[in-house]
Amino acid sequence: MVPHLVTALTGPISELEQRVLESVPAIERWFRLEWMEHTPPFYSSVDLRNAGFKVAPIDTNLFPGGWNNLTPEMLPLAVQAAMAAIEKICPEARNLLLIPENHTRNPYYLMNVAQLQLIFQSAGLNVRIGSINPDITQNTEVRLPNGESLLLEPVNRSQYRLELKGFDPCTILLNNDLSAGPPGILEDLHEQFLLPPIHAGWSVRRKTIHFKAYEEVAKRFGKMLGIDPWLINPLFESAQQVDFAQGQGIEALQDSVTAVLAKVRRKYKEYGIAEKPFAVIKADNGTYGMGVMTVQDASELDSINRRTKNKMSVVKDGQQTSDFIVQEGVLTIENIGGATAEPVVYMMDRYVVGGFYRTHASKGADENLNAPGATFLPLAFEPEHVLDAQGHPTAHIPNRFYMYGVIGRLAMLAASYELEKTDPNAEVYA
């Protein structure tokens, strides 16, 4: 199920949200049957946008950071989910090696690593943090903003296994999205479980493959629920071999923008929506909100400045990018303290374990919030002792976070389809 968390949603429930809330038994059964056929990613987070008339995922992360942004009250949910996930993969697991991103300068990212360590320690595992950063050659203690510290240890590679000094793990948890490609140290491991697998990293993953899988999931879910799948699915097109610096491939990118906007205009007309459609161009293998721009017309690509060209050409770890997804822009109606907001849902195994709001005071409802200046607002559990306006306990108040949990799990299911499709070890049948 989905925790009952406080959201920024106020006012009447939309028709889409009402349909979801009225269909909980059917939805939970549908997911249960799906998970009998497919394996969920080990953990994931999904960025959502709620436009009122539609709710859709805009990004799915299979190496989620930000665990430190969840409230302490959510820790038991994460621990229970971690126990279930580990038991399925390695029931006798004792030692877990956690491998973070190579950058060690972001203390808030390292607080996320510390929170993951706490979750898996609470699940009954011995957890140590091993760095594959070549600059980490000896044990390194890093001070965190909350006054605590984190010990990073250099990873050793034997012929077939990863180890730390005096520590031989059976499970290796990556919190490193492998944007620069999988280092050889992680390949050809013997009797060690690598979670998530290497092909879940951004050196292999493509947003277009993910959202193609999500489109399939949305159609099947929409048919079950009796809704137009567009109400939960962002339309998209792709554009390859685009070189912003040299001006190559721009026409093809403009064609993709025009196609997406035309489809969205037709849907807006069908539903009587007066808003102006927009499209979001993203690096197909992008992460960390890099390589992203918003346009309302394809002609805007004729006059972008050098800074934007540079921003769109390079993503994390200095990786050059030339393939893009052109995604339907989804507005957000949520606003917290005057700041534009969007929810982020966190999952482990097949369970929703919490979430928070990403907010940005200087961004509009049609802009990318995953940008410098963003802040994070943890979501609290709905206090059950509070009475609503009719004097009923809030347990009678609909769980408005439930819908976000549903969309998050649909994106997680799409990720499982995606990983099955891109698994280099999967059997191929003629």
Side-chain angles (χ1 to χ4, degrees), residues 214-228:
Y214 184 82
E215 183 177 62
E216 179 186 345
V217 168
K219 286 178 179 177
R220 296 181 61 246
F221 183 80
K223 184 177 181 180
M224 183 276 295
L225 206 59
I227 63 169
D228 181 350

Side-chain angles (χ1 to χ4, degrees), residues 57-350:
I58 57 172
D59 259 322
T60 301
N61 191 347
L62 300 184
F63 297 84
W67 289 91
N68 54 305
N69 293 319
L70 303 184
T71 62
E73 290 78 15
M74 293 174 186
L75 183 64
L77 293 179
V79 170
Q80 286 183 325
M83 292 172 69
I86 290 291
E87 284 175 9
K88 286 196 305 186
I89 296 163
C90 183
E92 69 277 11
R94 292 185 180 181
N95 295 339
L96 182 141
L97 174 62
L98 174 55
I99 297 181
E101 294 282 356
N102 283 352
H103 59 74
T104 57
R105 298 179 182 177
N106 186 337
Y108 294 99
Y109 169 74
L110 291 174
M111 286 184 66
N112 147 77
V113 174
Q115 182 73 349
L116 279 172
Q117 183 178 36
L118 175 61
I119 289 170
F120 287 96
Q121 283 177 338
S122 301
L125 296 168
N126 302 315
V127 184
R128 284 163 66 174
I129 301 166
S131 176
I132 57 175
N133 184 345
D135 294 334
I136 302 292
T137 58
Q138 59 185 4
N139 290 0
T140 303
E141 188 172 356
V142 182
R143 300 293 295 179
L144 302 177
N146 61 3
E148 298 179 2
S149 62
L150 199 66
L151 182 64
L152 300 175
E153 302 179 63
V155 170
N156 300 315
R157 171 74 191 235
S158 63
Q159 186 174 4
Y160 294 115
R161 296 176 71 85
L162 290 185
E163 301 170 337
L164 301 181
K165 188 176 181 180
F167 187 77
D168 184 15
C170 73
T171 306
I172 299 161
L173 177 62
L174 286 177
N175 198 241
N176 180 318
D177 63 21
L178 308 178
S179 291
I185 195 173
L186 296 179
E187 297 179 333
D188 300 319
L189 297 175
H190 181 65
E191 295 183 351
Q192 284 183 312
F193 296 94
L194 186 64
L195 306 169
I198 284 177
H199 68 280
W202 280 118
S203 57
V204 175
R205 278 194 81 200
R206 294 296 179 265
K207 293 179 189 290
T208 45
I209 295 176
H210 174 74
F211 280 100
K212 185 65 178 176
Y214 184 82
E215 183 177 62
E216 179 186 345
V217 168
K219 286 178 179 177
R220 296 181 61 246
F221 183 80
K223 184 177 181 180
M224 183 276 295
L225 206 59
I227 63 169
D228 181 350
W230 176 74
L231 297 173
I232 56 172
N233 178 40
L235 303 173
F236 77 93
E237 295 282 344
S238 64
Q240 281 85 38
Q241 298 182 332
V242 179
D243 186 332
F244 277 93
Q246 301 298 324
Q248 296 173 351
I250 301 299
E251 287 186 7
L253 182 59
Q254 288 176 315
D255 289 344
S256 294
V257 170
T258 299
V260 168
L261 291 176
K263 292 176 185 176
V264 177
R265 285 191 193 96
R266 286 195 290 271
K267 281 296 182 182
Y268 278 19
K269 183 177 181 181
E270 178 184 343
Y271 285 92
I273 297 165
E275 303 290 345
K276 187 171 183 178
F278 65 101
V280 183
I281 303 169
K282 304 178 181 178
D284 206 11
N285 61 334
T287 183
Y288 277 47
M290 302 175 74
V292 179
M293 66 180 294
T294 299
V295 295
Q296 293 185 337
D297 192 275
S299 63
E300 295 174 37
L301 293 170
D302 288 329
S303 57
I304 58 176
N305 58 36
R306 181 181 298 246
R307 180 180 178 187
T308 301
K309 290 179 180 179
N310 291 339
K311 181 185 79 170
M312 296 302 293
S313 300
V314 180
V315 292
K316 186 179 167 224
D317 291 337
Q319 297 298 301
Q320 297 288 324
T321 187
S322 60
D323 295 346
F324 294 86
I325 181 172
V326 179
Q327 194 177 62
E328 171 190 353
V330 182
L331 295 164
T332 175
I333 60 170
E334 299 193 73
N335 191 287
I336 300 175
T340 306
E342 64 187 15
V344 185
V345 176
Y346 273 64
M347 292 159 290
M348 192 170 293
D349 195 60
R350 59 182 178 149

